[in-house]
Amino acid sequence: GAVVSQHPSRVICKSGTSVKIECRSLDFQATTMFWYRQFPKKSLMLMATSNEGSKATYEQGVEKDKFLINHASLTLSTLTVTSAHPEDSSFYICSASAGRVTEAFFGQGTRLTVV
Amino acid sequence: AQSVTQLGSHVSVSEGALVLLRCNYSSSVPPYLFWYVQYPNQGLQLLLKYTTGATLVKGINGFEAEFKKSETSFHLTKPSAHMSDAAEYFCAVSGDGNQFYFGTGTSLTVIP
């Protein structure tokens, strides 16, 4: 299957700072990228969907000003957690698709810890 | 609208025994169905998927699942569990191909 690379795999940041997570499709052009958040022992919660060159579509309850998503190219999407707080600590996973979710591939995830 | 219910948040089997992880779905349109596996602190790896065609789907690592429309089910099975199968398993449905709806996951423990 195709490869989606997520970086960093782990990050620790201080409360109040911002942190950027990158999601790259290495061997295909991802017209659509999805960002998920996973709480311990919980399922994945879709945060937002982004199409290359367009503004991301956020799910209800997700603060768009706090979780900034940029999908500037067909191989890269970034999620920036702004003014991070301890409650933002979580596992964030991206997935990328050249079209429909039936062809989506997932990144390895990023463990964010805000101290 | 689509949704997925995974019965049993934890399943334990002995090594060599049958693995059965249950998934029931709800969808107002013909669904696409998926099973993913997640190892600790890792992303999701696709085990198998049903889109159209044959209802018995074979995936990686000896897993298979059968789409049963009459039962709205897509249970995951493996004839003989291996220690390396211990992980979290997620069932997911997509109705329009544009968004996943995940179940809450089933943690599989394999007892030696």
Side-chain angles (χ1 to χ4, degrees), chain A residues 37-84:
Chain A
R37 181 173 180 175
Q38 185 178 33
F39 295 94
K41 304 300 183 183
K42 296 290 186 183
S43 186
L44 281 74
M45 180 192 78
L46 179 64
M47 299 175 66
T49 303
S50 70
N51 292 298
E52 186 266 338
S54 302
K55 288 185 178 180
T57 301
Y58 290 81
E59 295 299 303
Q60 191 173 6
V62 178
E63 299 176 62
K64 59 182 65 177
D65 293 331
K66 179 167 191 62
F67 298 100
L68 300 179
I69 292 171
N70 182 278
H71 191 171
S73 78
L74 286 171
T75 58
L76 174 65
S77 176
T78 60
L79 167 67
T80 301
V81 182
T82 63
S83 187

Side-chain angles (χ1 to χ4, degrees), chain B residues 54-66:
Chain B
T55 56
L56 180 62
V57 182
K58 294 185 184 297
I60 62 172
N61 301 337
F63 285 95
E64 63 181 38
E66 186 171 10

Side-chain angles (χ1 to χ4, degrees), chain B residues 59-75:
Chain B
I60 62 172
N61 301 337
F63 285 95
E64 63 181 38
E66 186 171 10
F67 169 57
K68 292 187 176 181
K69 184 178 179 181
S70 61
E71 299 178 8
T72 61
S73 69
F74 191 58
H75 302 329

Side-chain angles (χ1 to χ4, degrees), chain B residues 16-71:
Chain B
L18 172 71
V19 175
L20 171 60
L21 305 182
R22 299 179 185 274
C23 173
N24 287 89
Y25 70 91
S26 173
S27 178
S28 55
V29 297
Y32 301 119
L33 294 159
F34 308 78
W35 274 101
Y36 285 90
V37 61
Q38 183 182 35
Y39 297 98
N41 291 308
Q42 293 189 27
L44 275 67
Q45 180 182 9
L46 180 66
L47 281 176
L48 49 80
K49 64 182 177 184
Y50 169 80
T51 53
T52 58
T55 56
L56 180 62
V57 182
K58 294 185 184 297
I60 62 172
N61 301 337
F63 285 95
E64 63 181 38
E66 186 171 10
F67 169 57
K68 292 187 176 181
K69 184 178 179 181
S70 61
E71 299 178 8

Side-chain angles (χ1 to χ4, degrees), chain B residues 3 5 26 47 69 83-84 97 104-105:
Chain B
S3 67
T5 302
S26 173
L47 281 176
K69 184 178 179 181
M83 295 299 294
S84 60
T104 50

Side-chain angles (χ1 to χ4, degrees), chain A residues 10 34 36 38 41-44 46 49 59 91 93 95 99-104 106-109 111, chain B residues 32 34 36 38 41-45 49 51 88 90 94-100 102-105 107:
Chain A
R10 292 177 178 270
F34 306 86
Y36 297 85
Q38 185 178 33
K41 304 300 183 183
K42 296 290 186 183
S43 186
L44 281 74
L46 179 64
T49 303
E59 295 299 303
F91 195 60
I93 304 176
S95 73
R100 315 182 84 186
V101 291
T102 49
E103 303 302 328
F106 285 81
Q108 313 94 306
R111 172 71 61 193
Chain B
Y32 301 119
F34 308 78
Y36 285 90
Q38 183 182 35
N41 291 308
Q42 293 189 27
L44 275 67
Q45 180 182 9
K49 64 182 177 184
T51 53
E88 190 82 18
F90 291 96
S94 179
D96 57 6
N98 293 320
Q99 184 171 330
F100 283 119
F102 285 91
T104 50
S107 178

